Amino acid sequence: MASDRIFGLVMALVALAYIAGATQIQTSFLPDPVGPKAFPFGVGILGALCALFMVFKPDAEPEWPTLSTFGAIAAAAFVLVLYAYALKPLGFLIPTAITAAILSYQISPRPKYAALAGLGLSCGLFIVFKFALGLGLVAFPKMIFG
């Protein structure tokens, strides 16, 4: 019970720091009814509400994951950070395929299916983001195709 409350307090502080960070986002000169801060504020507020729920209504007998599960979560977070840094120099398709394959392998350790999931997600997400949503994604590194 106490561990849930401590975790909830820590997450509430992280959510508040996230909201404070979102206030630093600069708005563009073009008028936008929602603005670029709306999504980060929404995520931060939702995170803070969830953390406060955990503080005020903790589980009576919480079951914390094992140390190996925390290691898997840390590895996934590390891969996602690397993914964020790899997007600009390597384009969208290659980092997304590698990241999705690694995360898929963590979920179900079958290399063939993880590779197929990575390729499928990379191509599928690129089509959706580029053509359905109109985002200006670069498919491959510019050094390859100029």
Side-chain angles (χ1 to χ4, degrees), residues 75-103 118 121-126 129 135 137-139:
F78 181 71
V79 167
L80 289 171
V81 169
L82 289 179
Y83 172 67
Y85 282 107
L87 276 174
K88 191 170 184 179
L90 298 177
F92 182 82
L93 291 175
I94 296 170
T96 303
I98 293 170
T99 302
I102 291 171
L103 295 178
L121 276 171
S122 177
C123 293
L125 288 174
F126 183 78
F129 291 157
L135 298 179
L137 293 179
V138 176

Side-chain angles (χ1 to χ4, degrees), residues 1 9 13 15 22 33 38 59 71-72 74 76 86 95-97 101 103 107 116 120 122 128 136 139 141:
M1 180 181 276
L9 281 174
L13 291 174
D59 193 2
T96 303
L103 295 178
I107 294 169
L116 290 174
S122 177
V128 168

Side-chain angles (χ1 to χ4, degrees), residues 13-31:
L13 291 174
V14 169
L16 291 176
Y18 184 78
I19 291 171
T23 62
Q24 303 300 316
I25 296 174
Q26 295 180 357
T27 58
S28 66
F29 63 91
L30 296 174

Side-chain angles (χ1 to χ4, degrees), residues 3 5 34 36 39-40 52 56 66 68 70 76-77 81 98-99 101 106 108-109 114 116-117 126 129 137 142 146:
S3 63
R5 287 192 167 134
V34 178
F39 183 73
L52 290 176
F56 292 115
T66 61
S68 65
F70 281 116
V81 169
I98 293 170
T99 302
Q106 276 192 322
S108 176
L116 290 174
F126 183 78
F129 291 157
L137 293 179
K142 290 185 178 182

Side-chain angles (χ1 to χ4, degrees), residues 48-63:
L49 289 174
C50 291
L52 290 176
F53 181 79
M54 190 174 275
V55 169
F56 292 115
K57 193 160 175 61
D59 193 2
E61 295 290 329
E63 291 183 30

